[in-house]
Amino acid sequence: MVDSDAGGSVESSPLPSSSVLPLITVEEWRVSASTKLSKTATLTADTSSLNILRSGSRWSEIRGKILEAFVPEGFPTSVTPDYVPFQIWDSLQGLSTYIRSMLSTQALLSAIGVGEKSATVIGATFQWFLRDFTGMLGGILFTFYQGSNLDNNAKMWRLVADFMNDLGMLMDLISPLFPSALVLIVCLGSLSRSFTGVASGATRAALTQHFSLENNAADISAKESSQETIATMVGMALGMLLAHLTRGYPLAVWVSFLLLTFFHMYANYKAVRCLSLTTLNSRRGSILLQNFMKNGQVVTPQQVSKMEHIFPSLANPWSSSNGISLHRRVYLGVKVSGLNHHDMVELSGSTISHYKKANYLLLERDGVVRAIIHKQATPADILQSFIHALVLAIITEQSKAVHIESRLWMDENYNDFITKLRSAGWEVERLLIPSIVWRAQWDFVSAEQKIK
């Protein structure tokens, strides 16, 4: 028998002369990616011997086994192209977080009296309890108010989550400076970090679904956990070393903390910037529509990612100079109980003439468009209502017959727009927006029918 890494052979015991074994060659291949195979061995057998020629080295095999613990199966073809740059920057920001956490935790323990003879166990326990209780309560309240809004603005909330984490660490670091307000500062820091836990977890789930190309979201999540564990271990070791070196030097602690915080914010920005999400939300939808109405072309997810505004926006919602602010002039799913008589009269006319076959109604006033969604509207209807509302908002600056012209544009261009979106790699099955709670059903009677 032959078993040699270098390709040599060792003859096996001869088979009985009565046996007849034809010459056969079998190759062994290993799947290292969805479209990539690597040959690991070649077996050749004849009537008297078996030869095994192994390909590659033992080190390559061991390295592949180690790599499998940190990257998804089938990598790199099983994930999107933006997976690697995002994970690199995400690991770097995580590393800086764990280093800083050693400094902030050290300051917090000092503030509650660890190491001081005057401190009591019950006092420290009570302070720690208040800290955790405040964080739990804050997490519930944040989920209640913003839970349904995290998916559609994953990039923005990712940045907000890490900023709140930085704020929480800062609170811990300054806690020894204000002993009279210790409980308040510690609770505010815990409250800030509770927002981080909710927002970071929710946006991570949305990003994992984005990275998944082969229904391997669970595998991606598991490997991300392995990567985070390594970053945690390295960060804790470096943090302990930094805490030891800066012990007794408050200025050095603050300089180190602030430098690491600035790097953390920069790494987060770079991580979010390299994401090319293919789902449609209000921001991306408005950018895509305005470009399409200008030149008839649909830009790719990579191009939109460079144009998309990822910071919380406080811009004037009445401005329409770009697609970022345009979407803020559209309100989907308004309550019909909030309409006045003038609105109802306008609806009675527009429903008959422009929205007979639509599962939505649009109202425009002073450049703001409100959409009433039918109770049987599908996700495709909601997407169409949003695009129609954007078209209406754009046309208000160019014409007075907004309903007629927007209807004509939708009839002539909407299907082509959706087709080009799909061809460019966009997911057009639904629009990522907060859940539409208020819906409606309507019936209308024309003037002629009323006379009869």
Side-chain angles (χ1 to χ4, degrees):
M1 176 181 175
V2 172
D3 189 350
S4 174
D5 291 343
S9 65
V10 177
E11 293 189 359
S12 62
S13 302
L15 295 173
S17 58
S18 59
S19 301
V20 178
L21 183 65
L23 181 65
I24 183 172
T25 300
V26 179
E27 294 180 343
E28 180 184 77
W29 292 78
R30 177 180 174 80
V31 181
S32 56
S34 299
T35 58
K36 182 180 179 181
L37 295 170
S38 56
K39 186 167 69 173
T40 58
T42 303
L43 289 76
T44 305
D46 55 25
T47 57
S48 59
S49 65
L50 173 64
N51 298 330
I52 301 178
L53 178 64
R54 299 191 182 276
S55 304
S57 63
R58 293 287 185 182
W59 169 245
S60 297
E61 184 176 352
I62 294 174
R63 184 177 58 185
K65 289 288 186 181
I66 296 175
L67 194 62
E68 287 178 0
F70 299 100
V71 297
E73 184 178 353
F75 176 83
T77 56
S78 62
V79 293
T80 55
D82 53 357
Y83 173 79
V84 172
F86 175 82
Q87 289 301 121
I88 291 175
W89 285 111
D90 188 55
S91 297
L92 290 174
Q93 67 87 16
L95 184 66
S96 70
T97 296
Y98 302 126
I99 295 175
R100 287 178 302 140
S101 68
M102 299 301 295
L103 299 177
S104 61
T105 302
Q106 184 184 47
L108 177 61
L109 293 175
S110 173
I112 63 176
V114 174
E116 295 183 7
K117 295 181 180 180
S118 58
T120 62
V121 174
I122 188 63
T125 303
F126 180 71
Q127 291 173 351
W128 205 266
F129 164 77
L130 283 179
R131 173 180 179 270
D132 290 346
F133 180 81
T134 305
M136 294 175 189
L137 183 61
I140 294 174
L141 293 176
F142 182 76
T143 302
F144 175 75
Y145 283 106
Q146 292 293 341
S148 61
N149 194 36
L150 298 176
D151 266 345
N152 55 308
N153 282 313
K155 288 185 177 183
M156 183 196 75
W157 284 113
R158 182 77 181 182
L159 287 178
V160 171
D162 286 296
F163 173 76
M164 297 302 289
N165 190 41
D166 293 340
L167 189 59
M169 287 188 174
L170 181 63
M171 290 291 181
D172 289 346
L173 195 63
I174 67 174
S175 57
L177 304 179
F178 303 96
S180 59
L182 175 62
V183 175
L184 176 62
I185 293 174
V186 169
C187 289
L188 287 176
S190 181
L191 186 66
S192 179
R193 276 191 298 273
S194 70
F195 298 162
T196 301
V198 175
S200 180
T203 54
R204 167 54 69 176
L207 295 181
T208 299
Q209 291 294 334
H210 161 69
F211 293 136
S212 174
L213 293 181
E214 298 179 354
N215 295 322
N216 57 340
D219 185 33
I220 292 175
S221 180
K223 301 307 168 57
E224 194 274 336
S225 179
S226 296
Q227 297 169 20
E228 185 175 356
T229 300
I230 289 294
T232 302
M233 294 169 62
V234 175
M236 290 176 65
L238 294 176
M240 291 179 65
L241 176 61
L242 182 61
H244 175 73
L245 294 175
T246 57
R247 185 173 57 185
Y249 300 97
L251 180 60
V253 171
W254 276 98
V255 169
S256 301
F257 181 86
L258 292 177
L259 289 177
L260 287 169
T261 299
F262 287 136
F263 175 77
H264 176 256
M265 296 172 65
Y266 174 76
N268 267 299
Y269 173 79
K270 294 293 291 184
V272 170
R273 263 300 175 205
C274 58
L275 288 173
S276 299
L277 301 183
T278 58
T279 52
L280 293 177
N281 64 2
S282 56
R283 292 171 185 256
R284 291 189 284 273
S286 59
I287 293 173
L288 288 164
L289 178 65
Q290 284 198 308
N291 278 274
F292 181 79
M293 293 184 73
K294 286 179 181 178
N295 51 41
Q297 300 298 320
V298 169
V299 291
T300 64
Q302 291 75 22
Q303 292 173 311
V304 171
S305 68
K306 298 177 181 178
M307 304 162 60
E308 186 178 7
H309 188 73
I310 60 176
F311 294 105
S313 177
L314 299 176
N316 182 6
W318 309 101
S319 171
S320 62
S321 60
N322 53 61
I324 296 170
S325 58
L326 177 66
H327 72 276
R328 301 180 66 196
R329 298 165 56 191
V330 174
Y331 296 88
L332 296 180
V334 298
K335 295 174 62 175
V336 293
S337 60
L339 302 180
N340 56 35
H341 180 260
H342 180 270
D343 294 331
M344 294 298 293
V345 172
E346 182 180 344
L347 280 177
S348 64
S350 64
T351 301
I352 297 174
S353 55
H354 305 300
Y355 303 101
K356 281 185 178 180
K357 299 180 180 180
N359 277 335
Y360 59 88
L361 303 173
L362 299 182
L363 278 169
E364 183 274 329
R365 180 173 295 178
D366 299 327
V368 176
V369 182
R370 293 171 290 169
I372 301 171
I373 306 299
H374 196 275
K375 69 176 186 177
Q376 295 180 345
T378 64
D381 293 327
I382 294 174
L383 174 61
Q384 182 176 351
S385 70
F386 177 71
I387 298 300
H388 194 167
L390 287 178
V391 173
L392 194 64
I394 294 173
I395 290 178
T396 53
E397 301 175 349
Q398 306 167 2
S399 172
K400 293 184 178 180
V402 291
H403 287 283
I404 296 176
E405 293 197 17
S406 66
R407 182 76 262 172
L408 288 174
W409 191 96
M410 292 292 291
D411 292 340
E412 295 174 0
N413 300 286
Y414 181 72
N415 289 333
D416 182 43
F417 178 54
I418 294 298
T419 300
K420 288 186 177 181
L421 283 176
R422 188 179 287 109
S423 300
W426 292 99
E427 300 175 23
V428 296
E429 290 75 20
R430 61 187 291 254
L431 178 70
L432 291 180
I433 54 173
S435 299
I436 296 180
V437 178
W438 301 106
R439 301 203 178 202
Q441 182 175 354
W442 51 84
D443 296 301
F444 60 89
V445 179
S446 63
E448 296 177 358
Q449 292 174 324
K450 189 173 182 180
I451 294 174
K452 292 180 181 179

